[in-house]
Amino acid sequence: MATLSHTLPSASALPILQPKTFTSNSIKCCENQRETVKLSNNGLATFPEKNTLPSSAAATVRPPRPRRIILVRHGQSEGNLDETAYTRIADPKIALTEKGMAEAEECGLEIREMIEQDKIENWKVYFYVSPYRRTLETLKSLARGFERSRIAGMRVEPRLREQDFGNFQDREKMRHEKAIRMLYGRFFYRFPNGESAADVYDRITGFRETLRSDIDIGRFQPPGDRNPGMNLVIVSHGLTLRVFLMRWYKWTVEQFEQLNNLGNGKIIVMEKGYGGRYSLLMHHSEEELRDFGLSDDMLMDQDWQKFARPGELNYDCPMMNSFFTHFADEGCKT
């Protein structure tokens, strides 16, 4: 089942990557684990100076990591259908179209079908969602595929909002600004009275740290219910989700700028690999990820992510060889 769809930027064409075969035989990782957070028996982080519990009770086992982090772009909105909507309706108030609601409901059924293939009886979902109307409506339609007992909770997260393009938008002026952005650079160009993708990166960095903390302490799982079948679903916007992936996997600006946008109501899945880290290659095929815009270096790193453990570093990072071109000369020296 294909779950990854994209739309190409209108202002310029992205370079086509030629498929190459890659292997992980030469990829090595360190064995050092980062120090884990000690947890109390109710799943909350412990302050040592206030801990009155016996050491055996305080040092409980860390909650299982969620099986997946599923990124969802909102369904078709009024602004996707008619760009003039942004000239009269505030961006946060743009609603879904009927088609967008149907896309979101279909997306929910697709996510449920994917989760049920795990054959885990007590699986659940937890939602993070942008506060914009179109994302909230997407979540409402998407969640129709889940009964109450399957939904562990939800959080409306302002840091997941759309890139700010500058309040009410003049259609012709915005087209001009987007053309300039392609010349200046999609990541660093800041819209007048708005944001650049770099600004979005800064707030997504804060959200990522919140998310990692939630995962580490099992905040979305009640005490005593450490469910390995937990799935996190993030409902947001195209650029915001691409920036989230960039921040999570430490992609470069150049790598970000070659990514394509997800289609409305489409998903990209970060699934837990064999060592506990999240990899896009656990769910998506290499072909799907190439269509999304991943390069050979990025695919090699995703292959490493499939087997690595949390806290490990990829000391044979493929970007090292592509960035530092003088390495090829070392073998010629005598």
Side-chain angles (χ1 to χ4, degrees):
M1 165 188 349
T3 59
L4 184 60
S5 178
H6 65 275
T7 55
L8 292 172
S10 57
S12 69
L14 294 171
I16 298 176
L17 298 171
Q18 296 300 322
K20 296 181 180 179
T21 302
F22 63 91
T23 66
S24 59
N25 294 338
S26 62
I27 296 178
K28 300 177 181 178
C29 55
C30 71
E31 297 297 328
N32 296 328
Q33 297 289 313
R34 63 184 172 86
E35 184 177 353
T36 57
V37 178
K38 291 184 178 180
L39 304 176
S40 67
N41 63 354
N42 68 353
L44 301 178
T46 299
F47 295 94
E49 67 276 12
K50 297 182 179 180
N51 182 25
T52 58
L53 294 174
S55 58
S56 60
T60 55
V61 177
R62 170 175 286 190
R65 304 187 99 201
R67 184 165 178 79
R68 299 178 184 85
I69 302 175
I70 304 168
L71 309 183
V72 180
R73 186 187 175 201
H74 62 79
Q76 185 192 67
S77 70
E78 295 172 339
N80 295 136
L81 188 63
D82 177 13
E83 290 184 352
T84 64
Y86 295 106
T87 66
R88 60 183 185 274
I89 305 173
D91 196 0
K93 298 179 180 179
I94 295 285
L96 289 186
T97 63
E98 289 188 8
K99 179 182 178 181
M101 292 182 181
E103 288 172 338
E105 191 164 349
E106 181 180 353
C107 178
L109 296 175
E110 181 181 354
I111 291 174
R112 181 177 184 124
E113 181 181 353
M114 174 177 58
I115 295 173
E116 287 181 336
Q117 291 177 357
D118 296 336
K119 306 299 182 182
I120 297 176
E121 183 177 351
N122 191 33
W123 61 265
K124 293 182 183 293
V125 291
Y126 188 98
F127 299 108
Y128 294 87
V129 60
S130 157
Y132 278 33
R133 179 176 176 180
R134 55 187 177 273
T135 43
L136 293 172
E137 290 180 347
T138 295
L139 178 55
K140 285 184 178 181
S141 295
L142 182 156
R144 292 181 182 276
F146 303 91
E147 54 269 30
R148 177 63 184 87
S149 62
R150 295 295 188 183
I151 301 177
M154 65 166 287
R155 182 184 305 173
V156 179
E157 176 51 74
R159 289 172 293 184
L160 290 173
R161 68 187 183 275
E162 173 68 289
Q163 178 182 7
D164 189 344
F165 292 102
N167 303 320
F168 291 105
Q169 301 172 22
D170 180 276
R171 184 180 183 184
E172 294 305 318
K173 183 178 179 181
M174 184 55 62
R175 286 181 176 176
H176 176 69
E177 294 293 343
K178 288 184 177 179
I180 295 177
R181 177 179 64 171
M182 297 306 297
L183 295 174
Y184 190 91
R186 292 166 58 197
F187 186 75
F188 290 113
Y189 181 78
R190 179 179 287 117
F191 287 90
N193 301 315
E195 289 182 305
S196 65
D199 295 321
V200 178
Y201 183 96
D202 291 341
R203 58 176 159 89
I204 284 297
T205 294
F207 169 71
R208 174 183 175 272
E209 295 310 307
T210 298
L211 180 62
R212 289 186 57 151
S213 175
D214 287 353
I215 291 174
D216 286 344
I217 67 175
R219 191 181 300 277
F220 39 77
Q221 303 194 54
D225 183 13
R226 296 298 182 241
N227 187 349
M230 180 63 66
N231 296 267
L232 305 185
V233 181
I234 299 176
V235 183
S236 186
H237 310 264
L239 180 133
T240 307
L241 294 176
R242 299 199 306 278
V243 169
F244 176 85
L245 288 168
M246 175 191 183
R247 181 63 186 87
W248 188 280
Y249 291 117
K250 301 177 179 62
W251 292 340
T252 66
V253 171
E254 181 182 16
Q255 288 169 334
F256 166 80
E257 291 186 336
Q258 71 188 22
L259 296 176
N260 298 315
N261 203 6
L262 287 172
N264 290 118
K266 299 301 181 181
I267 68 175
I268 188 164
V269 181
M270 303 163 60
E271 186 168 322
K272 189 166 63 175
Y274 305 109
R277 294 177 72 108
Y278 294 100
S279 171
L280 301 177
L281 275 172
M282 289 297 296
H283 178 83
H284 299 286
S285 68
E286 179 183 336
E287 181 181 3
E288 286 178 317
L289 295 179
R290 286 189 184 279
D291 287 343
F292 183 49
L294 269 68
S295 65
D296 290 337
D297 284 354
M298 297 161 80
L299 286 168
M300 288 179 68
D301 182 64
Q302 289 301 312
D303 192 56
W304 176 84
Q305 301 277 352
K306 286 173 63 175
F307 302 96
R309 292 177 294 179
E312 292 181 342
L313 297 177
N314 186 359
Y315 284 106
D316 196 22
C317 176
M319 183 184 168
M320 294 282 285
N321 296 324
S322 61
F323 183 82
F324 296 108
T325 56
H326 68 280
F327 291 160
D329 300 332
E330 291 182 359
C332 300
K333 295 179 179 180
T334 58

